[in-house]
Amino acid sequence: SVPSTTGLPGLITVEWSKDRSVWAPVADVVLDALGVGSFSLAPTTNRWLRARVARFDGAVDVSQSLFVRANATAVLASSLPTGRTVARTTKITLTETIRPVGAGVAAGRSRFDFFLKVGTAWVRKRILYANADPATGRAKLVTTLPSYGSWWIRSRAEPTATNGASAWTAGFKYLVR
C-alpha cells in the first residue's frame, strides 16, 4: 500500500530508473478517500523506484529513491537422477536454466559447487562456472566426480549487472565407487 502524504484522495505516479538519472513512469496509483492505494510490479531487472505526488497547490513532491533487486531464478537438471552410484569416469551433464532472459537482461552465469562428505560434514572441493546462452538462459557443464565417496552438487545463478543472485538449488547427490 502507498499512503498519501496528505491523507486525502489523489494520485501518485510511480517511476523507475536503471541509473537514478533518467526516470520513466511505470504506474499511476489512485488513492481512495482515506488516502490509500496499491500497485504491483514484477521487474525483470534491478531498478530504482520513486514516487511523485502532485499537491493541491500545484507543487510536486518526489520521494527518495528505493533500490529494488530483481533476483534471478535457477533450476538445475542432471543427466543422472540423484542418489545414483556412479564410477569416477561417469560423465554427468548438468544443465541450469536461469531466468529472466531477453532484451535488457544480462546473460547469466552458473556456479556449480561440488561437496564431498567427510565424516558427517559436506566439504566444498571445487567450484566450476558455465556461461548461460543469452537466448535460452541455459548453462551446461559436463563433468566427472574425481574421487571415491559421497558427492553433492548444487548450483546458483551468479549476480549480473541487471539481476541479483538466485537462491541455491537443492542439487544432486551421488555415490562414487
Side-chain angles (χ1 to χ4, degrees):
S1 286
V2 180
S4 164
T5 56
T6 62
L8 300 172
L11 181 71
I12 294 177
T13 300
V14 179
E15 301 173 323
W16 66 7
S17 172
K18 291 181 182 179
D19 57 10
R20 290 171 67 178
S21 63
V22 178
W23 293 89
V26 68
D28 285 327
V29 181
V30 178
L31 303 176
D32 64 17
L34 298 174
V36 176
S38 65
F39 70 100
S40 178
L41 293 175
T44 58
T45 60
N46 299 335
R47 299 288 174 130
W48 289 91
L49 288 178
R50 72 179 185 186
R52 297 175 65 83
V53 180
R55 296 193 326 213
F56 292 106
D57 62 6
V60 176
D61 292 328
V62 180
S63 72
Q64 289 187 0
S65 56
L66 170 71
F67 186 69
V68 176
R69 182 174 314 281
N71 287 340
T73 60
V75 176
L76 180 62
S78 176
S79 58
L80 296 175
T82 195
R84 287 273 176 101
T85 299
V86 298
R88 283 181 34 224
T89 57
T90 302
K91 288 187 180 183
I92 301 169
T93 301
L94 300 167
T95 305
E96 183 169 74
T97 304
I98 300 171
R99 293 289 182 264
V101 294
V105 178
R109 181 178 185 214
S110 294
R111 172 180 165 163
F112 299 90
D113 284 27
F114 293 74
F115 297 87
L116 180 63
K117 195 164 195 178
V118 179
T120 59
W122 290 101
V123 178
R124 182 181 294 118
K125 290 296 185 176
R126 67 179 173 170
I127 300 171
L128 297 175
Y129 296 91
N131 292 325
D133 179 297
T136 65
R138 287 194 187 92
K140 182 177 167 183
L141 177 73
V142 179
T143 189
T144 59
L145 299 172
S147 62
Y148 299 107
S150 294
W151 285 89
W152 176 31
I153 307 166
R154 66 182 195 159
S155 66
R156 75 171 190 182
E158 290 284 89
T160 67
T162 58
N163 295 100
S166 73
W168 285 99
T169 62
F172 293 87
K173 292 182 180 176
Y174 301 104
L175 178 61
V176 178
R177 292 218 183 256

